[in-house]
Amino acid sequence: MKTMWMKRGFGVSGLLGALLVVAGCSMAPTYETPAVSMPTAFKEAALASHEAGTWKPAQPSEAVARGEWWKAFGDATLDRLETEALAANQSLKAAAARVKEARGVQQQARAGLFPKIDAGFGPTREKASPASQGLPADGNVAPQTLWRAQATVAYEVDLFGRVSDSIAAARADADQSEALFRSVQLALQADVAQNYFNLRELDAEQDLFTRTVTLRAEALKLVQRRFEEGDIGELDVARAKAELATAQSDALAVARLRAASEHSLAILLGKTPAEFDMPARPLVPVGVQIPAGLPSALLERRPDIAAAERAMAAANARIGVAKSAFFPSLSLTGAGGFEAGSLGDLFKWSSRTFLLGPLAGTMLSLPIFDGGARSGNLARARAQYEEDVANYRQQVLVAFQEVEDNLSNLRLLSDQTRAQGDAVKASNRAAQLSRTQYQEGSISYLEVIDAERSVLQSQRSAVQLAGAQAVSTVNLIRALGGGWGDAGGPATSPQQSAPQSLTPATVAAR
């Protein structure tokens, strides 16, 4: 009998020893970032180099903080607006709160590596069975009140990596949340810059219409005087009045658009529209030229791609968690303290007690049948990983498209701006000649009106092209991940008001 118990004891201890050996072994597949199809260079960058020479990035300015790419535009007002937005934008604050939430989940998962210790105190009223006291079946056992003061310890051995894989998944989720924070931050910075340049474009249009209204009013006075002198008919006066009223209406339409743009900018800054007012200042054409760099750099610099990659890592770790459910789990529990029939005897040395092993259930649990629940959970985890892989590859493709789109926009906008400049010069000359010929009586006033309309349209198109060029420059910087140059700096913290992940360059020269 003794030999048999020794063999059984050896078998139990051997089993526990074997289980402890596999403790912490992860069941998750080995994680590797999926391969993506990547060009060696951007197509539009090659076209720009062929048509306009090779881009030569200027050296980064030491006075510019890392990641403050908007300072490349050299606009103090824009610098101030970016700082205010980073400090007060509510969407950014919500993203920072989500980072804290993810870190809390990570801390909660990491707690599984340590035992849980609790303490309790209080009485219980109980009646033991006669059999448990070694009495006959009809034995009378009186109920009794027991006072207990004890501490309990519970610890789950990390068999087959369930706990460690859960921690890895929570860590990847936290990293993803931080990358999404940087993505929201970059989107906010770009939105502020785009709204700012859009506002300045509308200021330029408003200035153009103000000058146009002045010119139309002077033209009306001239026509009115000639009508009073009998040189022309009333038709020319009516046409001049219509042109003046049309210019005034167009000026009011631009003012309406500017008010809405100013309100949008106020919201980005975390202010109500009533608290924000931006003095008018016409747009100065942006001359910043951004080198695209290598396509592979996007995988390192774009926070949305980093977030997609971290989502894959978390899904991969959760496959390990789902697999570990098919294997035994080992929980070690214990309790120790004092137990007595009266409160006065509770803390006497003779009242000490302890318990090793679970009070209910078993120490070692082996799953046998659950109707396919674990298999379904594993299939779901694998499908989630496949979905995240597809999302990651799609995000990379979208990033390449955004860079190519904005490179082509800037290349074609540059050519279009030069052509539009020629159109402005030609229309101005045509309007000047038409006014001279009208005063000489060789053409009708209708031809003067057509010429002046062409001037206004060409000038307005030039202003809109300048605004589109500024916005496309911002979009390119955003598509490149928020800056250019060395991308190996420290990551942005949600507690910081300014990013520090990328180094901006000053204006690039051809």
Side-chain angles (χ1 to χ4, degrees), residues 147-438:
W147 289 85
R148 291 188 178 90
Q150 62 183 16
T152 59
V153 180
Y155 176 69
E156 179 184 354
V157 180
D158 188 18
L159 294 180
F160 306 101
R162 191 197 70 81
V163 176
S164 58
D165 285 338
S166 297
I167 295 172
R171 185 187 303 114
D173 284 338
D175 293 341
Q176 179 193 17
S177 183
E178 292 189 20
L180 290 174
F181 167 81
R182 291 193 295 273
S183 184
V184 172
Q185 188 178 54
L186 175 58
L188 170 64
Q189 295 164 352
D191 287 345
V192 169
Q194 289 172 359
N195 274 264
Y196 173 75
F197 287 127
N198 182 63
L199 192 66
R200 292 310 185 204
E201 175 195 333
L202 293 171
D203 287 340
E205 288 194 51
Q206 202 166 42
D207 179 67
L208 174 62
F209 276 107
T210 299
R211 289 186 281 110
T212 300
V213 167
T214 301
L215 292 175
R216 296 287 191 273
E218 293 175 354
L220 176 60
K221 291 179 181 179
L222 175 62
V223 172
Q224 185 72 37
R225 184 169 61 250
R226 293 190 63 186
F227 169 71
E228 293 171 354
E229 294 174 352
D231 295 340
I232 58 175
E234 187 180 357
L235 179 59
D236 288 351
V237 177
R239 285 172 174 169
K241 288 181 178 179
E243 287 301 302
L244 174 59
T246 300
Q248 290 172 335
S249 176
D250 290 340
L252 292 173
V254 172
R256 177 174 55 82
L257 294 175
R258 187 193 187 280
S261 180
E262 189 178 64
H263 299 164
S264 298
L265 188 55
I267 299 304
L268 290 174
L269 302 181
K271 300 179 180 180
T272 63
E275 298 175 294
F276 180 72
D277 181 67
M278 177 68 69
R281 192 181 76 192
L283 174 67
V284 177
V286 171
V288 179
Q289 298 169 345
I290 309 302
L294 297 176
S296 59
L298 284 184
L299 305 186
E300 302 171 359
R301 300 193 319 195
R302 291 218 6 168
D304 55 343
I305 294 179
E309 186 276 329
R310 288 291 82 198
M312 285 191 302
N316 186 79
R318 289 192 174 94
I319 293 177
V321 176
K323 282 184 178 180
S324 66
F326 287 88
F327 297 91
S329 62
L330 177 63
S331 298
L332 305 179
T333 58
F338 298 91
E339 181 181 270
S342 64
L343 184 60
D345 296 333
L346 179 60
F347 294 103
K348 292 183 178 181
W349 184 247
S350 59
S351 299
R352 66 189 184 279
T353 183
F354 71 91
L355 171 68
L356 294 178
L359 186 61
T362 59
M363 179 185 301
L364 182 63
S365 176
L366 177 64
I368 297 177
F369 177 76
D370 62 359
R374 285 184 295 273
S375 297
N377 187 47
L378 179 58
R380 182 198 59 80
R382 286 172 171 163
Q384 181 65 56
Y385 175 75
E386 293 173 1
E387 178 184 353
D388 289 335
V389 169
N391 289 337
Y392 169 77
R393 288 174 171 157
Q394 179 65 22
Q395 194 65 46
V396 172
L397 292 175
V398 170
F400 289 152
Q401 178 192 0
E402 290 176 352
V403 174
E404 296 283 9
D405 286 348
N406 287 287
L407 285 173
S408 64
N409 284 344
L410 288 174
R411 178 175 61 84
L412 296 173
L413 280 171
S414 179
D415 296 338
Q416 190 177 1
T417 300
R418 285 193 293 269
Q420 190 62 38
D422 295 338
V424 171
K425 293 179 182 178
S427 61
N428 277 325
R429 179 58 179 166
Q432 182 182 3
L433 293 174
S434 65
R435 285 190 294 269
T436 301
Q437 292 176 3
Y438 173 72

Side-chain angles (χ1 to χ4, degrees), residues 107-132:
Q107 181 180 358
Q108 182 181 11
R110 191 173 181 273
L113 294 175
F114 305 96
K116 297 177 177 61
I117 303 176
D118 298 307
F121 170 80
T124 59
R125 182 70 173 171
E126 63 181 40
K127 178 181 179 181
S129 67
S132 66

